[in-house]
């Protein structure tokens, strides 16, 4: 799996390396480190949690005088503080048996937009060929960054914070089909498009129609907004992770909220977790970092608004309902 990376590292003078992998690859990280050490490099392993290429540990690498090797994500287009070697780590997975099993449902749509995360992108072309051979035409949308650096980079690739590969083709397709694992990315899409959204889960082989979640999610968001309208104390969350750091947006949101008579504080974190704000008497949080956080209402035990939702606080109050 790491042939290309090891080949690259062979060409590098013996160096100090800081190795960073996402949570899903942590069980393999010791093995990766051993392989890299065999090439004569000195390896440090970043133990900090990592959920995306937005979370580059370049400052630590610079402190260590190390080259950062980041495995498992695409280059986010950041300007790192040190040399970074990216290794995408895609998995080979044949989607055809699962598609065959679920063909009756998939054939209800004439045109599908196929989507996945980096890990399973290699399966999209196989899925397209298979479905088209069965009469379902398929599109792979191009992310807004295209082949330029910046968030999603490849046809059909989505991230929780970059759904442009899907949104760019929503007028061309009858529905979206996400192939892979994990619901976070695809639930983000359910809220941003009016088209049906299906997920073929590569762990279970089950096809799930997530379209019904749209109404439930929107009800929850609306309830958060209504609660925020009547609340006084707001905390705006800023993460210093390089690809999530948006202090100017936080300042802008603070001003808007103050226009509504709210009391607002800007809180700065690396990893944003509820324990860090225990004891601060805040009613509502506004998230400027990874969109995943706004979905995590239960952990924070209070509404977490997305930046775009602040404008909705200017609307007339309605009755909140979290059901
Ligand atoms: S900001 Fe969130 S969704 Fe975007 S790459 Fe980072 S972890 Fe993934």
């Amino acid at each position: 799996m790491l042939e290309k990376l090891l080949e690259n590292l062979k060409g590098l003078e013996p160096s100090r390396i800081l190795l960073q992998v996402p949570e899903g690859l942590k069980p393999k990280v010791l093995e990766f480190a051993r392989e890299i050490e065999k090439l004569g490099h000195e390896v440090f392993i970043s133990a900090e949690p990592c959920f995306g290429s937005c979370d580059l540990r370049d400052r630590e690498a610079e402190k260590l005088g190390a080259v950062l090797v980041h495995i498992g994500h695409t280059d986010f287009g950041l300007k790192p503080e040190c040399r970074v070697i990216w290794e995408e780590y895609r998995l080979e997975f044949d989607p055809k048996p699962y598609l065959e099993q679920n063909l009756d449902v998939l054939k209800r749509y004439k045109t599908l937009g196929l989507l996945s995360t980096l890990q399973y992108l290699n399966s999209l072309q196989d899925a397209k060929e298979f479905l088209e051979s069965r009469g379902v035409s398929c599109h792979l949308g191009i992310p807004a960054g295209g082949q330029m650096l910046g968030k999603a980079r490849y046809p059909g690739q989505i991230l929780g914070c970059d759904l442009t590969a899907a949104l760019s083709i929503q007028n061309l397709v009858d529905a979206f089909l996400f192939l892979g694992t994990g619901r976070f990315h695809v639930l983000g899409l359910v809220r941003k498009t009016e088209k049906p959204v299906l997920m073929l889960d590569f762990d279970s082989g089950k096809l799930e129609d997530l379209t019904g979640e749209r109404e439930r999610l929107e009800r929850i968001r609306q309830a958060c907004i209504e609660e925020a309208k009547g609340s006084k104390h707001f905390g705006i969350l800023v993460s210093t992770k390089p690809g999530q750091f948006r202090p100017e947006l936080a300042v802008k949101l603070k001003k808007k909220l103050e226009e509504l008579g709210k009391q607002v504080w800007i809180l700065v974190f690396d990893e944003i977790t509820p324990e860090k704000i225990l004891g601060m008497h805040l009613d509502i949080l506004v998230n400027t970092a990874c969109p995943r956080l706004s979905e995590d209402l239960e952990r924070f035990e209070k509404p977490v608004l997305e930046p775009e939702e602040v404008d909705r606080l200017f609307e007339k109050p309605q009755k909140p309902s979290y059901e």
Side-chain angles (χ1 to χ4, degrees):
M1 288 280 180
L2 296 182
E3 291 84 6
K4 204 171 120 242
L5 172 68
L6 295 175
E7 209 44 53
N8 268 342
L9 292 177
K10 254 187 218 164
L12 197 72
E13 275 184 22
S15 310
R16 177 172 287 184
I17 283 178
L18 177 63
L19 181 59
Q20 187 187 15
V21 300
E23 295 313 282
L25 288 179
K26 286 261 169 85
K28 289 184 178 286
V29 72
L30 305 183
E31 196 188 306
F32 294 164
R34 184 66 68 231
E35 289 302 311
I36 297 171
E37 273 177 351
K38 282 186 197 159
L39 300 174
H41 301 298
E42 181 180 50
V43 182
F44 286 64
I45 298 171
S46 170
E48 290 298 322
C50 171
F51 298 102
S53 45
C54 56
D55 185 8
L56 206 58
R57 291 287 152 177
D58 56 331
R59 286 167 287 192
E60 285 91 329
E62 207 227 351
K63 246 188 195 168
L64 287 164
V67 172
L68 178 62
V69 170
H70 184 107
I71 301 179
H73 296 118
T74 31
D75 186 342
F76 209 68
L78 300 167
K79 291 196 178 81
E81 309 266 330
C82 66
R83 177 168 177 199
V84 183
I85 298 177
W86 295 87
E87 171 66 25
E88 294 187 345
Y89 202 82
R90 297 191 189 193
L91 297 176
E92 294 305 326
F93 185 89
D94 181 4
K96 294 193 284 297
Y98 287 163
L99 291 167
E100 182 81 63
Q101 268 171 39
N102 294 290
L103 203 54
D104 286 353
V105 179
L106 295 171
K107 283 182 81 165
R108 289 180 198 155
Y109 303 97
K110 274 202 185 116
T111 311
L112 287 172
L114 302 186
L115 304 165
S116 193
T117 49
L118 175 70
Q119 200 181 8
Y120 291 112
L121 276 187
N122 290 357
S123 303
L124 288 188
Q125 205 50 43
D126 286 347
K128 183 174 188 307
E129 279 165 25
F130 175 83
L131 288 167
E132 291 192 335
S133 73
R134 302 295 194 279
V136 182
S137 93
C138 297
H139 289 284
L140 268 61
I142 306 293
Q147 287 302 304
M148 310 285 289
L149 290 182
K151 299 192 177 177
R153 299 183 64 194
Y154 298 105
Q157 183 192 7
I158 56 168
L159 302 172
C161 58
D162 187 352
L163 300 167
T164 52
L167 300 178
S168 66
I169 53 168
Q170 60 179 339
N171 294 333
L172 302 176
V173 301
D174 299 323
F176 289 104
L177 173 62
F178 175 85
L179 300 104
T181 56
R183 289 160 59 110
F184 160 61
H185 309 82
V186 76
L187 282 179
L189 178 62
V190 168
R191 292 185 48 223
K192 300 276 186 244
T193 178
E194 289 179 359
K195 292 289 163 81
V197 179
L198 309 171
M199 171 173 173
L200 182 59
D201 187 325
F202 279 178
D203 282 336
S204 65
K206 285 200 182 121
L207 182 71
E208 197 182 350
D209 187 344
L210 297 170
T211 319
E213 288 287 287
R214 184 170 296 139
E215 216 178 291
R216 187 185 67 83
L217 293 170
E218 184 46 38
R219 261 202 318 275
I220 293 174
R221 299 316 310 161
Q222 188 61 39
C224 290
I225 290 163
E226 292 311 318
E227 195 170 330
K229 284 179 188 170
S231 302
K232 191 83 186 153
H233 303 109
F234 283 62
I236 301 183
L237 311 177
V238 173
S239 168
T240 54
K241 291 181 193 297
Q244 299 187 22
F245 185 50
R246 298 197 284 175
E248 298 315 325
L249 174 62
V251 170
K252 217 163 110 191
L253 294 170
K254 182 175 191 301
K255 283 189 186 140
K256 274 192 188 176
L257 288 165
E258 283 170 346
E259 275 172 40
L260 287 166
K262 312 291 186 192
Q263 293 188 21
V264 190
W265 294 269
I266 297 177
L267 311 169
V268 181
F269 307 69
D270 174 350
E271 182 77 20
I272 300 175
T273 61
E275 308 78 61
K276 293 181 184 169
I277 50 171
L278 276 179
M280 293 187 195
H281 299 291
L282 296 165
D283 308 316
I284 304 287
L285 303 172
V286 183
N287 173 34
T288 66
C290 172
R292 189 191 293 259
L293 276 185
S294 318
E295 315 279 325
D296 234 349
L297 294 177
E298 278 173 26
R299 228 157 49 91
F300 284 90
E301 294 178 342
K302 57 188 73 173
V304 183
L305 298 186
E306 294 169 5
E308 313 79 73
E309 289 174 332
V310 166
D311 285 334
R312 291 174 65 182
L313 302 191
F314 289 83
E315 294 165 5
K316 241 172 77 201
Q318 296 171 23
K319 199 164 171 277
S321 158
Y322 284 93
E323 282 160 25

